[in-house]
Amino acid sequence: MAKVAIREADWIEPESGEVAPATMLVEDGRIAARLDVGERVSADWEPIARPGLSIAPGFVDLHFHGELVATPPERFAEALANDAERMLREGATAFLATSVCWPQSELGDAVDALARAADACATGASCLGLHLEGPWISADAPGAMAPDAIRPFAASRDLETLARAGERLRMVTLAPEVAGADALLDALADRGVVAALGHTRATTEVIDAAVARGLRHVTHLWNAMGPLHHREPGVPGAVLADDRLTADLICDGHHVHPSVVRTTARALGERLLLITDRVALPERGAVASALGEAAREGEEGPWRRADGTLVGSALGLDGAVRNLRRFADVDLAEAVAACTLRPATLLGVENERGTLRVGARADFACLDETGGVAETWVAGAPVWRADGNEGASR
Ligand SMILES: [Zn+2]
């Protein structure tokens, strides 16, 4: 499969918002050229026709827990490999392995194990690195995190944790009002790591100060933060008003009401991103995990504790795209941009991922007319097909 010409498909360009037929030339795992329909393709390119499919860049998930939440560190590599393989069926070709709040005594070793598991993750979707969701968050906005694992940032102890994640550390969700958060923000800015606001009750003033220290994103907007009040705008008010901030959202219809999704999409426009915050627990009743005991109703429902607390979604980014279109009435290219170009840009990998530009990796999510993933390509080769012919390209 060194040189292929993919024909008769519509290509979804997140930069321009265009969905148009073209022929894409793929060589050595990368997009070599884009030709207009009817342009001649020389005989050394193997033709592959994909009529009826709309092809998007592979989806990029900034917030994915998967099996990690119910797996001990010594088996993280196995859990991550399973997750990386499974998400191909949802069109995701890259993700950040996302932690939960581990107790102080376990944090360093768990981060270390996660970094090594990310390095070892060689097939399926690409693990782009680590997203630490806490533990430096607010005890007043724990979401499903274990309250006793939440704590302030102590540079003398916690810089070592960041160092153990090393180059693999790409994103940290934090609460800027907790003690030591300024030192954490400075350390992240030094390392070029995305600092994201989440699990927080920060005021506008505290958020402004954090933005001045490099904070630029909001994690799962509306969840695990205070509400929008007209005299206390909090995090939702800050992100709606401040164009410097982007925000991601769990678009499963459970974490955020569809009408709030619609309002958010209208207000944020290109600043809106989609994540899954997916949690994969064994398929049986109430099961214990790092997030406590949780169960769910039906296969599509989110995980909940007995008291109703949401523990994570069962969402794939393909479902998030379909829901965003349905809830917010946005067009296909717009919804695709929210989980391709925009997260790639936040991570600074937009020349490589989340795009169909020439020179980028040939990672694709091939969608049928219902928005279902028919086929997923990684590095110029089909790696998953809904019809079960995995690896069979023609
Ligand atoms: Zn999460």
Side-chain angles (χ1 to χ4, degrees):
M1 293 279 301
K3 292 177 77 169
V4 298
I6 307 171
R7 302 165 46 240
E8 296 177 42
D10 285 336
W11 296 85
I12 306 166
E13 281 217 36
E15 286 91 343
S16 64
E18 209 174 82
V19 182
T23 297
M24 208 65 91
L25 302 186
V26 170
E27 182 175 17
D28 295 332
R30 292 190 177 267
I31 298 172
R34 179 194 173 111
L35 307 178
D36 289 333
V37 176
E39 258 184 271
R40 216 183 135 270
V41 180
S42 65
D44 51 340
W45 296 89
E46 182 184 348
I48 294 178
R50 288 293 180 266
L53 295 184
S54 301
I55 306 185
F59 302 148
V60 180
D61 196 350
L62 296 175
H63 195 139
F64 180 93
H65 300 288
E67 293 185 13
L68 289 174
V69 294
T71 303
E74 59 271 21
R75 287 184 33 235
F76 277 177
E78 195 186 314
L80 217 53
N82 290 341
D83 286 331
E85 204 63 43
R86 196 177 303 119
M87 72 175 73
L88 294 174
R89 67 184 73 169
E90 291 145 12
T93 58
F95 68 106
L96 294 182
T98 304
S99 71
V100 293
C101 297
W102 287 305
Q104 181 65 46
S105 58
E106 299 169 22
L107 180 68
D109 289 344
V111 167
D112 203 48
L114 195 51
R116 279 185 283 113
D119 278 335
C121 194
T123 59
S126 310
C127 180
L128 300 181
L130 271 51
H131 172 180
L132 299 185
E133 187 175 11
W136 310 293
I137 60 174
S138 167
D140 294 328
M145 296 298 184
D148 53 1
I150 293 170
R151 58 188 176 276
F153 184 83
S156 57
R157 174 188 70 198
D158 290 323
L159 285 174
E160 170 66 17
T161 305
L162 301 185
R164 289 181 84 169
E167 300 274 294
R168 279 288 180 184
L169 184 61
R170 305 304 291 269
M171 183 163 173
V172 174
T173 290
L174 60 95
E177 71 272 32
V178 306
D182 285 355
L184 173 56
L185 284 163
D186 292 348
L188 299 179
D190 279 351
R191 289 168 168 76
V193 173
V194 175
L197 196 59
H199 292 276
T200 171
R201 306 285 298 220
T203 61
T204 308
E205 293 70 25
V206 171
I207 296 167
D208 276 347
V211 170
R213 285 195 126 88
L215 185 126
R216 52 194 159 129
H217 186 69
V218 172
T219 289
H220 50 51
L221 179 59
W222 304 108
N223 295 118
M225 59 185 61
L228 173 66
H229 184 278
H230 53 292
R231 279 186 295 275
E232 288 177 33
V235 181
V239 72
L240 292 173
D242 191 337
D243 286 342
R244 295 171 297 178
L245 289 169
T246 53
D248 62 54
L249 182 143
I250 308 166
C251 196
D252 66 351
H254 301 282
H255 281 75
V256 182
H257 191 279
S259 75
V260 177
V261 171
R262 188 179 176 92
T263 305
T264 306
R266 287 181 175 190
L268 295 190
E270 293 184 354
R271 298 191 289 125
L272 178 66
L273 283 66
L274 295 172
I275 56 163
T276 64
D277 201 355
R278 185 183 177 108
V279 168
L281 297 174
E283 292 297 327
R284 60 188 146 76
V287 286
S289 73
L291 299 173
E293 218 163 73
R296 63 177 175 170
E297 284 174 26
E299 280 199 10
E300 300 295 315
W303 294 91
R304 289 182 193 272
R305 293 206 192 116
D307 66 2
T309 304
L310 284 161
V311 164
S313 85
L315 187 66
L317 282 174
D318 58 337
V321 165
R322 278 199 301 267
N323 288 338
L324 183 64
R325 296 191 67 198
R326 199 152 53 92
F327 299 162
D329 199 25
V330 302
D331 66 27
L332 178 61
E334 177 76 17
V336 162
C339 60
T340 55
L341 182 66
R342 294 176 199 163
T345 302
L346 188 68
L347 295 177
V349 295
E350 72 276 15
N351 288 324
E352 183 77 3
R353 309 206 180 243
T355 178
L356 297 176
R357 70 187 79 178
V358 171
R361 284 174 55 100
D363 293 352
F364 308 130
C366 308
L367 308 177
D368 63 24
E369 65 282 355
T370 69
V373 178
E375 198 170 307
T376 301
W377 287 51
V378 168
V383 288
W384 182 82
R385 287 182 64 155
D387 64 11
N389 285 325
E390 286 167 49
S393 61
R394 273 132 265 175

